[in-house]
Amino acid sequence: MRRRRLIVLVIALVAVVGAGAFAVMASNRIKGSASQAAAAYFDAWRKGDVSRMASLVYQPPPDFAVRHYRLTEDLHVESIRLTPGRLKSTGEGVAEVPFAGVRQLAEFGAWPFDSTLRLGVRDRAWKVLWAPETLHPLLKDGGTLELDEVDASPAELVTSEGAKIPNDSYADSYLNQLKPEFAEAGHGWELVSKVPGQPVRQLMTRQPEANVERTTLSRNVQAAAARALDGVEDSTIIAIRPSTGEILALADRLKDNYSAVSNVFPPGSVFKTITAAALLENGLDPAAQVRCPGTYTIPFHRPFENDGKVDRGLVSFSDAYAYSCNTTFVEQATTRLTADQLRETADAWGFGRPIATGIGGTCGTMDDTDDPDMFGADAIGQGQVVATPLCMAALAAAVQSGTWRSPRLLSEAQVRRIDGTPHKDVPMNEQVVAALRDMMAAVVDHGTAGDMGLPEGVAGKTGTAEVDGEESHAWFIGYQDDLAFCVFVRHGGSGRTAAVPIAARFLNGL
């Protein structure tokens, strides 16, 4: 009996000792393994789960998450690919895993790097021993990685042929206005490494693409327009391709910050083209005989005079236009038309609307009036009527092509982006257009622009717009083949003596 009690006591003692030994072993056991910790860390990194990554790191720095997010954001990282190598034991309770990484950068594409993930036993668990170089080796010793923009040269605007804009083109103010619209397209990038006490190291660069934008300007036409204005201050030439509305030349020497596309001036007798269109639409035949007295007085109202009070007697309506008879146009307009009819015709030919060129612009205005004297003045381009040189060039282009088209200096897509949708094309009355072509040809053949050295095939209309207390403005609009133009000399005097010679130099220089 005593022997049995001894055996039970021994067994109990062994059990107690065994339990104590197991408890000691359990308390010293290391959680997980180095390979498990490394695999979990790489998996979280690939997924961008920075919180999970931090939980696997021994004493992560307070800015652990910020460092990861900032690097991704600053370098424009789109994705990361990680390929771990074989885990190596580097001592008791320490290990490391070399790995290859590839970051996909928005500006450069794939950017590979090699680094090492170090691990150690801390608090009886395998933990990542993180350092900045774990993210990238170049972040060691306080290094930083930076993505910087490389400024491009200013946008270069070229002709429709891709050639440089001619020197002294007198188009610089408009081209400079456009350059900011294309500035962003030319930025390049560079990725640099900066380590305190060391020179900046350039890792990758992407040079700016050539920042070139084609305008509608024709090199030859622009050059001819600019040279025709040499020596003529306060003047401008605008040339348009009637079939498309493209601005082929925009040479502007107007002073005092005036603009040929946005500032309006009294158009004088070039507006008679619109008055003639209104009269033609209302049944006046180009061959009809009309009076051209030296002076005509609207009944019970003011008198109007021809230049020099020249009395031409009876002439055809076409010749009245060719000779620019003020008296004829005042009499015919005030007896055959209403002010509303003339304004509606002006609106059909471009007045009262903005023009989407890429650099803005406007056409002209003719205000409503019930005053016969004002209506008579409006009919000959004085009174309240005002227009831009751009508007008058578009008018000449519409006569040539039979369709009013919104002039533009850039491609249609760029014009819509910058200025909005241009006004739709407006087909004009074919019979009216045909008559206006013959009448404009008569101006050059034997009218106010005759014998002025204009080349063959030119048709046009002169204009002299009176300005109170100052010299008159000089105008000449016209076309030759698929090229329409407006010459304007602010305070230049007579259209025949000031504007037509410039047009002759321009056209003969093409």
Side-chain angles (χ1 to χ4, degrees):
M1 193 71 177
R2 186 177 297 172
R3 177 182 176 84
R4 183 178 299 171
R5 288 176 182 170
L6 181 61
I7 292 171
V8 170
L9 183 61
V10 170
I11 291 172
L13 182 60
V14 170
V16 170
V17 172
F22 178 81
V24 171
M25 289 178 61
S27 65
N28 290 326
R29 182 177 297 170
I30 298 171
K31 295 179 182 179
S33 66
S35 61
Q36 289 173 335
Y41 189 84
F42 284 124
D43 182 62
W45 194 354
R46 292 186 187 98
K47 295 176 180 178
D49 189 348
V50 179
S51 296
R52 173 63 175 154
M53 293 166 66
S55 71
L56 297 167
V57 173
Y58 177 69
Q59 295 182 353
D63 62 349
F64 179 84
V66 172
R67 284 175 179 260
H68 285 75
Y69 291 135
R70 183 176 295 163
L71 186 70
T72 297
E73 182 179 340
D74 289 351
L75 302 191
H76 301 176
V77 178
E78 296 178 328
S79 63
I80 188 168
R81 188 169 68 250
L82 302 167
T83 306
R86 182 176 297 179
L87 183 142
K88 301 176 183 177
S89 175
T90 56
E92 186 176 352
V94 290
E96 63 182 31
V97 180
F99 66 94
V102 179
R103 287 184 172 90
Q104 190 73 22
L105 307 186
E107 279 70 36
F108 294 103
W111 181 42
F113 68 102
D114 293 310
S115 191
T116 301
L117 185 71
R118 292 180 171 80
L119 304 105
V121 176
R122 299 290 187 273
D123 299 332
R124 292 188 291 279
W126 280 98
K127 291 283 188 176
V128 172
L129 306 180
W130 189 87
E133 55 264 35
T134 308
L135 261 175
H136 195 284
L138 292 174
L139 297 177
K140 188 177 181 180
D141 300 328
T144 58
L145 292 167
E146 298 179 14
L147 182 67
D148 298 325
E149 284 188 359
V150 177
D151 289 336
S153 57
E156 182 182 6
L157 297 165
V158 298
T159 67
S160 60
E161 305 92 345
K164 289 184 177 295
I165 304 294
N167 293 331
D168 301 321
S169 66
Y170 304 131
D172 289 347
S173 61
Y174 299 105
L175 301 178
N176 290 337
Q177 176 184 336
L178 276 174
K179 286 180 180 179
E181 296 291 344
F182 304 100
E184 293 184 4
H187 288 158
W189 298 92
E190 64 175 0
L191 180 63
V192 299
S193 167
K194 296 181 179 179
V195 178
Q198 299 181 23
V200 175
R201 178 182 167 195
Q202 191 178 70
L203 304 177
M204 291 191 292
T205 61
R206 192 186 81 186
Q207 292 300 319
E209 295 179 4
N211 197 0
V212 175
E213 183 69 24
R214 292 194 184 212
T215 67
T216 61
L217 297 177
S218 161
R219 189 182 191 286
N220 291 340
V221 179
Q222 181 67 39
R227 299 295 69 81
L229 293 184
D230 284 343
V232 185
E233 293 187 349
D234 228 358
S235 59
T236 187
I237 296 177
I238 297 180
I240 294 174
R241 178 174 283 127
S243 60
T244 64
E246 295 168 295
I247 297 175
L248 302 178
L250 180 50
D252 189 346
R253 298 197 67 194
L254 293 177
K255 297 166 62 177
D256 303 324
N257 292 319
Y258 279 104
S259 164
V261 304
S262 58
N263 289 120
V264 293
F265 308 90
S269 292
V270 292
F271 187 79
K272 289 173 182 170
T273 307
I274 289 176
T275 306
L279 290 167
L280 291 166
E281 286 176 347
N282 279 271
L284 183 57
D285 191 278
Q289 295 294 295
V290 292
R291 297 190 323 128
C292 179
T295 300
Y296 171 75
T297 301
I298 300 174
F300 309 109
H301 287 277
R302 60 160 284 195
F304 289 85
E305 299 176 350
N306 287 333
D307 184 27
K309 295 186 179 181
V310 174
D311 186 340
R312 297 186 180 274
L314 284 177
V315 296
S316 68
F317 179 49
S318 178
D319 278 350
Y321 178 86
Y323 297 132
S324 203
C325 292
N326 289 336
T327 55
T328 301
F329 274 79
V330 171
E331 180 179 11
Q332 296 301 319
T334 55
T335 57
R336 292 174 175 267
L337 301 173
T338 65
D340 285 345
Q341 286 176 313
L342 181 58
R343 181 183 49 75
E344 288 168 5
T345 301
D347 289 348
W349 287 83
F351 275 56
R353 66 182 65 142
I355 299 178
T357 60
I359 52 172
T362 189
C363 191
T365 58
M366 176 185 169
D367 294 339
D368 294 334
T369 182
D370 56 5
D371 178 3
D373 290 339
M374 184 61 70
F375 178 31
D378 286 342
I380 58 174
Q382 299 286 168
Q384 301 176 108
V385 177
V386 287
T388 62
L390 175 67
C391 183
M392 294 292 96
L395 170 63
V399 174
Q400 192 277 343
S401 69
T403 299
W404 186 93
R405 292 182 171 88
S406 184
R408 58 183 173 86
L409 186 60
L410 298 170
S411 68
E412 293 179 358
Q414 292 290 11
V415 167
R416 284 194 296 271
R417 179 181 70 84
I418 297 171
D419 278 352
T421 303
H423 195 282
K424 64 182 181 180
D425 293 352
V426 182
M428 311 311 295
N429 182 302
E430 292 182 4
Q431 290 182 326
V432 169
V433 167
L436 288 176
R437 290 174 186 150
D438 290 341
M439 293 165 73
M440 291 179 75
V443 171
V444 177
D445 179 66
H446 57 270
T448 54
D451 299 321
M452 293 296 291
L454 292 165
E456 195 72 26
V458 174
K461 180 70 185 81
T462 59
T464 303
E466 296 177 358
V467 182
D468 288 342
E470 297 185 82
E471 189 75 19
S472 298
H473 299 318
W475 295 82
F476 184 52
I477 65 171
Y479 62 83
Q480 182 187 38
D481 299 325
D482 199 16
L483 184 148
F485 60 87
C486 172
V487 176
F488 173 68
V489 185
R490 183 168 167 260
H491 302 307
S494 157
R496 174 179 171 84
T497 60
V500 176
I502 295 173
R505 288 200 301 272
F506 165 54
L507 297 170
N508 287 316
L510 294 173

